[in-house]
């Protein structure tokens, strides 16, 4: 008896928040981001990146507006930009990312950052 190989599992949606330790808006947004992480725990992987502590991983990416969200599926960037620090804004973006209704962004620096999250 021969079995066909199982398809490779699709990587979960990545939702990364790029913030700074000195940013008071980021401080207040952290709880919201953590709550969203619990809400979507079975569908997405959530990562908090401090732009100063994780500057080596960021490479050429220069984040100037906080909070900035990165939503990706594998190496495909679906959203990368600042967001208002409200749960509903991020929730809608995450839902659209899960539905596949966000566009594709081709940015080499962001793709390099995404590579640091891959096994």
């Amino acid at each position: 008896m021969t079995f066909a190989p199982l398809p490779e599992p699709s990587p979960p949606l990545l939702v990364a928040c790029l913030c700074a330790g000195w940013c008071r808006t980021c401080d207040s947004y952290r709880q919201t981001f953590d709550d969203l992480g619990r809400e979507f725990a079975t569908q997405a992987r959530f990562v908090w990146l401090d732009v100063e502590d994780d500057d080596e991983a960021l490479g050429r990416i220069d984040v100037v507006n906080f909070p900035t969200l990165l939503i990706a599926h594998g190496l495909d960037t679906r959203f990368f930009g600042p967001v208002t620090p409200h749960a509903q804004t991020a929730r809608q973006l995450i839902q659209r990312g899960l539905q596949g209704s966000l566009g594709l962004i081709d940015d080499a620096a962001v793709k390099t950052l995404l590579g640091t999250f891959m096994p």
Side-chain angles (χ1 to χ4, degrees):
M1 184 180 270
T2 306
F3 293 98
L6 293 173
E8 289 294 316
S10 177
L13 192 73
L14 171 70
V15 180
C17 184
L18 287 69
C19 276
W22 48 262
C23 174
R24 298 307 87 173
T25 302
C26 293
D27 284 346
S28 63
Y29 189 62
R30 182 66 191 253
Q31 184 63 52
T32 299
F33 187 77
D34 290 345
D35 290 345
L36 289 166
R38 285 186 288 281
E39 181 179 338
F40 291 98
T42 61
Q43 301 164 293
R45 177 179 171 211
F46 283 70
V47 177
W48 184 271
L49 290 173
D50 185 299
V51 296
E52 292 173 341
D53 293 344
D54 300 306
D55 64 331
E56 190 172 306
L58 291 173
R60 299 178 314 176
I61 297 172
D62 186 26
V63 179
V64 295
N65 294 307
F66 301 102
T68 290
L69 285 186
L70 168 60
I71 299 176
H73 188 254
L75 291 175
D76 293 336
T77 304
R78 299 300 179 173
F79 179 84
F80 181 64
V83 294
T84 57
H86 301 103
Q88 191 57 31
T89 301
R91 184 178 292 110
Q92 288 174 349
L93 285 169
I94 295 163
Q95 289 169 336
R96 289 180 61 204
L98 290 167
Q99 295 165 354
S101 63
L102 292 174
L104 186 61
I105 299 168
D106 188 19
D107 185 305
V110 174
K111 197 167 280 203
T112 299
L113 172 61
L114 290 173
T116 65
F117 298 107
M118 303 307 281

